[in-house]
Amino acid sequence: MIQRLVVIGVGLIGGSLARALKTACAVGEVVGVGRDARHLAQAVELGVIDRAATLTEAVRGADMIVVAVPVGSIGGVLREIALDIADHAAVTDVGSVKGSVIEGARAALGRRFPAFVPGHPIAGTEQSGVAASTADLFRGRRVILTPAQETRLDALARVSDMWAAAGAEVLSMGADKHDDILAGTSHLPHVLAFTLIDLLVRTHGSGVFELAGTGLRDTTRVAASDPVMWRDICLSNQDAILRVLEQYQTDLGALAEAVRRGDGQWLQDLFARAKHARAGWVE
Ligand code: NAP
């Protein structure tokens, strides 16, 4: 049972976690922190948080602190709260990139760094803000924790228990592995979707969508995601994203070459391999 949960950034992810823990009766009080008072008032109105507070006021005496702001802002938030974190508190984040967040946290938190448990829920939508939050966003979904060597075991256990109470399955892995895999499974599909929509509109104008069907809609759903969040992710996971983008460019080049030489067998083999793999995943 968490006594006081502080959610810094009460948006889609922070708001959904607060809702899930309230629904599971796993939390006493939920205090929200953000930049825009209107968003916090909306969060109170929706029953997602019990009250809003300033960073310092919220964090003093809290036993669980969740930082759910865009990746590029996590280090700055941790720097601001470092001196107010209680000895018994656990601090975690939900950022989509882990290596650079851990580096930033180590520098920002100093001797409080062992309280920090880096985390990333593999759940979300293309929507943003507290109004889009739901209590069941994490139900049956995975949450990856990437503890550092210094991470306190009691803090790790408490963050793991928190996600389990929210309905998630918790996994642990190294930050490098996380960033490498997520560059392919999440970051690449997002940048491809943004780029594809931009290419179509630049080439044909916005009227192009009148001739588009559900295929384009399904393929590019995530291009409706928040630009600031995705800017931060690209800048925070540069190396891994560049590696997978280069590989993808090479593969697209091979595909273009097969189209050029009219190699139907090559194309069919690729499509069959991918169809088979995707069917296995979805099942
Ligand atoms: P969101 O809905 O836009 O929520 C972000 C919240 O942070 C907003 O409520 C915003 O409120 C607040 N905020 C922004 N900068 C802040 C700052 N410097 N200090 C305090 N509050 C700040 O975004 P989200 O989708 O929940 O994403 C949050 C984090 O979750 C990101 O790190 C993202 O990488 C990660 N994540 C997202 C998904 C996804 O599918 N969306 C999935 C997994 C992980 P104000 O504007 O009122 O301050």
Side-chain angles (χ1 to χ4, degrees):
M1 176 80 179
I2 297 166
Q3 303 300 316
R4 187 200 294 171
L5 169 72
V6 174
V7 179
I8 304 170
V10 191
L12 172 72
I13 300 294
S16 295
L17 180 59
R19 282 187 195 268
L21 295 174
K22 279 186 164 219
T23 303
C25 298
V27 64
E29 183 190 30
V30 181
V31 182
V33 181
R35 297 169 305 180
D36 189 327
R38 286 166 308 179
H39 294 158
L40 293 170
Q42 187 186 18
V44 173
E45 214 169 278
L46 291 169
V48 174
I49 58 173
D50 299 310
R51 64 185 174 91
T54 63
L55 261 185
T56 305
E57 191 198 333
V59 165
R60 281 191 185 150
D63 52 336
M64 180 63 74
I65 300 157
V66 177
V67 183
V69 302
V71 168
S73 300
I74 296 174
V77 165
L78 292 176
R79 195 173 298 280
E80 274 191 69
I81 65 172
L83 297 177
D84 296 310
I85 298 169
D87 286 341
H88 66 291
V91 184
T92 188
D93 77 307
V94 297
S96 306
V97 179
K98 298 275 53 95
S100 60
V101 165
I102 292 171
E103 270 174 45
R106 192 178 268 114
L109 292 175
R111 70 180 184 86
R112 287 282 187 235
F113 178 65
F116 183 65
V117 181
H120 177 209
I122 310 299
T125 73
E126 70 281 14
Q127 293 170 318
S128 305
V130 69
S133 64
T134 60
D136 60 0
L137 187 67
F138 308 113
R139 184 149 301 284
R141 310 303 298 271
R142 296 198 170 117
V143 170
I144 302 175
L145 302 181
T146 62
Q149 269 192 340
E150 305 95 308
T151 307
R152 263 182 15 227
L153 288 181
D154 67 292
L156 178 60
R158 286 181 38 229
V159 170
S160 181
D161 289 349
M162 174 182 76
W163 283 112
E169 181 194 343
V170 181
L171 310 177
S172 204
M173 67 175 65
D176 286 353
K177 182 175 176 188
H178 168 281
D179 290 352
D180 199 41
I181 292 177
L182 270 289
T185 57
S186 171
H187 309 168
L188 178 67
H190 278 81
V191 298
L192 294 183
F194 284 123
T195 311
L196 176 56
I197 290 289
D198 189 56
L199 168 71
L200 290 175
V201 172
R202 273 190 294 111
T203 311
H204 301 289
S206 55
V208 69
F209 298 123
E210 283 165 29
L211 297 179
T214 51
L216 184 69
R217 195 181 274 252
D218 290 349
T219 312
T220 60
R221 175 181 61 80
V222 295
S225 302
D226 183 53
V228 171
M229 179 173 135
W230 282 97
R231 174 203 66 191
D232 283 7
I233 290 169
C234 286
L235 297 180
S236 309
N237 198 19
Q238 268 178 330
D239 291 348
I241 290 177
L242 285 176
R243 270 197 304 277
V244 72
L245 265 178
E246 277 162 24
Q247 181 64 55
Y248 199 73
Q249 280 171 323
T250 304
D251 283 14
L252 278 183
L255 182 133
E257 202 42 56
V259 171
R260 192 171 294 117
R261 65 174 184 269
D263 191 341
Q265 192 58 53
W266 191 97
L267 295 170
Q268 189 178 330
D269 288 350
L270 166 68
F271 299 157
R273 270 199 317 275
K275 178 180 164 71
H276 179 72
R278 191 179 189 282
W281 168 44
V282 171
E283 268 166 32

Short mmCIF file of all heavy atoms in Angstrom, two decimals, residues 121-144:
data_model
loop_
_atom_site.label_atom_id
_atom_site.label_comp_id
_atom_site.label_asym_id
_atom_site.label_seq_id
_atom_site.Cartn_x
_atom_site.Cartn_y
_atom_site.Cartn_z
N PRO A 121 6.50 1.54 -19.03
CA PRO A 121 5.36 0.69 -19.36
C PRO A 121 5.21 0.55 -20.88
O PRO A 121 5.25 1.56 -21.59
CB PRO A 121 4.17 1.47 -18.77
CG PRO A 121 4.62 2.88 -18.71
CD PRO A 121 6.11 2.88 -18.59
N ILE A 122 5.08 -0.69 -21.34
CA ILE A 122 4.89 -0.91 -22.80
C ILE A 122 3.38 -0.86 -23.05
O ILE A 122 2.74 -1.87 -23.33
CB ILE A 122 5.49 -2.26 -23.23
CG1 ILE A 122 6.91 -2.41 -22.72
CG2 ILE A 122 5.47 -2.39 -24.76
CD1 ILE A 122 7.87 -1.36 -23.22
N ALA A 123 2.85 0.31 -22.86
CA ALA A 123 1.41 0.51 -23.02
C ALA A 123 1.22 1.99 -23.28
O ALA A 123 1.99 2.81 -22.79
CB ALA A 123 0.66 0.12 -21.76
N GLY A 124 0.22 2.32 -24.02
CA GLY A 124 -0.04 3.73 -24.29
C GLY A 124 -0.96 3.86 -25.47
O GLY A 124 -1.46 2.85 -26.00
N THR A 125 -1.19 5.09 -25.87
CA THR A 125 -1.98 5.33 -27.08
C THR A 125 -1.36 6.56 -27.74
O THR A 125 -0.42 7.15 -27.20
CB THR A 125 -3.46 5.65 -26.78
OG1 THR A 125 -3.54 6.97 -26.23
CG2 THR A 125 -4.08 4.66 -25.81
N GLU A 126 -1.93 6.95 -28.87
CA GLU A 126 -1.44 8.15 -29.56
C GLU A 126 -2.01 9.41 -28.92
O GLU A 126 -1.66 10.52 -29.33
CB GLU A 126 -1.78 8.08 -31.06
CG GLU A 126 -3.25 8.22 -31.41
CD GLU A 126 -4.06 6.93 -31.20
OE1 GLU A 126 -3.57 6.00 -30.54
OE2 GLU A 126 -5.20 6.88 -31.69
N GLN A 127 -2.88 9.25 -27.92
CA GLN A 127 -3.49 10.42 -27.28
C GLN A 127 -2.63 10.93 -26.14
O GLN A 127 -1.81 10.21 -25.61
CB GLN A 127 -4.88 10.07 -26.78
CG GLN A 127 -5.83 9.77 -27.92
CD GLN A 127 -7.13 9.18 -27.43
OE1 GLN A 127 -7.14 8.33 -26.55
NE2 GLN A 127 -8.21 9.65 -28.00
N SER A 128 -2.87 12.18 -25.74
CA SER A 128 -2.11 12.79 -24.65
C SER A 128 -3.07 13.42 -23.66
O SER A 128 -4.22 13.70 -24.00
CB SER A 128 -1.21 13.91 -25.16
OG SER A 128 -0.38 13.46 -26.16
N GLY A 129 -2.56 13.71 -22.48
CA GLY A 129 -3.32 14.47 -21.50
C GLY A 129 -4.17 13.60 -20.60
O GLY A 129 -4.48 12.45 -20.91
N VAL A 130 -4.54 14.19 -19.46
CA VAL A 130 -5.24 13.42 -18.42
C VAL A 130 -6.61 12.93 -18.89
O VAL A 130 -7.08 11.87 -18.45
CB VAL A 130 -5.35 14.25 -17.11
CG1 VAL A 130 -6.32 15.43 -17.27
CG2 VAL A 130 -5.76 13.37 -15.94
N ALA A 131 -7.25 13.66 -19.80
CA ALA A 131 -8.59 13.25 -20.24
C ALA A 131 -8.54 11.90 -20.96
O ALA A 131 -9.54 11.18 -21.01
CB ALA A 131 -9.18 14.32 -21.16
N ALA A 132 -7.38 11.56 -21.51
CA ALA A 132 -7.25 10.28 -22.24
C ALA A 132 -6.87 9.13 -21.31
O ALA A 132 -6.80 7.97 -21.74
CB ALA A 132 -6.20 10.43 -23.33
N SER A 133 -6.62 9.41 -20.02
CA SER A 133 -6.14 8.36 -19.11
C SER A 133 -7.26 7.39 -18.75
O SER A 133 -8.42 7.78 -18.67
CB SER A 133 -5.55 8.99 -17.84
OG SER A 133 -6.54 9.68 -17.11
N THR A 134 -6.89 6.12 -18.55
CA THR A 134 -7.87 5.09 -18.17
C THR A 134 -7.27 4.19 -17.10
O THR A 134 -6.05 4.00 -17.04
CB THR A 134 -8.25 4.20 -19.37
OG1 THR A 134 -7.05 3.55 -19.85
CG2 THR A 134 -8.88 4.99 -20.51
N ALA A 135 -8.14 3.59 -16.30
CA ALA A 135 -7.68 2.73 -15.20
C ALA A 135 -7.12 1.40 -15.70
O ALA A 135 -6.38 0.74 -14.98
CB ALA A 135 -8.82 2.48 -14.21
N ASP A 136 -7.49 1.00 -16.91
CA ASP A 136 -7.06 -0.33 -17.36
C ASP A 136 -5.97 -0.29 -18.44
O ASP A 136 -5.72 -1.30 -19.09
CB ASP A 136 -8.27 -1.13 -17.85
CG ASP A 136 -8.96 -0.44 -19.02
OD1 ASP A 136 -8.48 0.65 -19.41
OD2 ASP A 136 -9.95 -0.99 -19.54
N LEU A 137 -5.31 0.86 -18.59
CA LEU A 137 -4.29 0.99 -19.65
C LEU A 137 -3.17 -0.05 -19.51
O LEU A 137 -2.61 -0.52 -20.49
CB LEU A 137 -3.69 2.40 -19.64
CG LEU A 137 -2.73 2.73 -20.78
CD1 LEU A 137 -3.47 2.78 -22.13
CD2 LEU A 137 -2.04 4.07 -20.55
N PHE A 138 -2.84 -0.40 -18.27
CA PHE A 138 -1.69 -1.28 -18.05
C PHE A 138 -2.08 -2.74 -17.79
O PHE A 138 -1.21 -3.58 -17.59
CB PHE A 138 -0.84 -0.76 -16.88
CG PHE A 138 -0.48 0.69 -17.04
CD1 PHE A 138 -1.00 1.65 -16.18
CD2 PHE A 138 0.33 1.10 -18.08
CE1 PHE A 138 -0.70 2.99 -16.35
CE2 PHE A 138 0.64 2.44 -18.26
CZ PHE A 138 0.13 3.39 -17.38
N ARG A 139 -3.39 -2.99 -17.76
CA ARG A 139 -3.85 -4.35 -17.44
C ARG A 139 -3.35 -5.34 -18.50
O ARG A 139 -3.58 -5.14 -19.69
CB ARG A 139 -5.39 -4.37 -17.37
CG ARG A 139 -5.95 -5.70 -16.96
CD ARG A 139 -7.25 -5.55 -16.19
NE ARG A 139 -7.11 -4.75 -14.97
CZ ARG A 139 -6.56 -5.17 -13.83
NH1 ARG A 139 -6.09 -6.40 -13.74
NH2 ARG A 139 -6.47 -4.37 -12.79
N GLY A 140 -2.62 -6.35 -18.04
CA GLY A 140 -2.11 -7.39 -18.95
C GLY A 140 -0.96 -6.92 -19.83
O GLY A 140 -0.51 -7.65 -20.70
N ARG A 141 -0.46 -5.70 -19.61
CA ARG A 141 0.65 -5.18 -20.42
C ARG A 141 1.96 -5.33 -19.64
O ARG A 141 1.95 -5.53 -18.44
CB ARG A 141 0.41 -3.70 -20.78
CG ARG A 141 -0.96 -3.43 -21.36
CD ARG A 141 -1.25 -4.26 -22.60
NE ARG A 141 -0.33 -4.00 -23.68
CZ ARG A 141 -0.52 -3.06 -24.61
NH1 ARG A 141 -1.60 -2.31 -24.58
NH2 ARG A 141 0.36 -2.89 -25.57
N ARG A 142 3.07 -5.17 -20.35
CA ARG A 142 4.37 -5.34 -19.69
C ARG A 142 4.93 -3.99 -19.25
O ARG A 142 4.73 -2.98 -19.93
CB ARG A 142 5.36 -6.00 -20.64
CG ARG A 142 4.90 -7.40 -20.98
CD ARG A 142 6.01 -8.26 -21.54
NE ARG A 142 5.50 -9.62 -21.61
CZ ARG A 142 5.35 -10.31 -22.73
NH1 ARG A 142 5.73 -9.79 -23.88
NH2 ARG A 142 4.87 -11.53 -22.71
N VAL A 143 5.64 -4.04 -18.14
CA VAL A 143 6.40 -2.87 -17.69
C VAL A 143 7.85 -3.33 -17.53
O VAL A 143 8.10 -4.36 -16.90
CB VAL A 143 5.87 -2.33 -16.34
CG1 VAL A 143 6.81 -1.28 -15.77
CG2 VAL A 143 4.48 -1.75 -16.53
N ILE A 144 8.77 -2.61 -18.15
CA ILE A 144 10.19 -2.98 -18.07
C ILE A 144 10.88 -2.08 -17.05
O ILE A 144 10.81 -0.85 -17.15
CB ILE A 144 10.88 -2.84 -19.44
CG1 ILE A 144 10.17 -3.71 -20.48
CG2 ILE A 144 12.36 -3.21 -19.33
CD1 ILE A 144 10.70 -3.53 -21.89
#
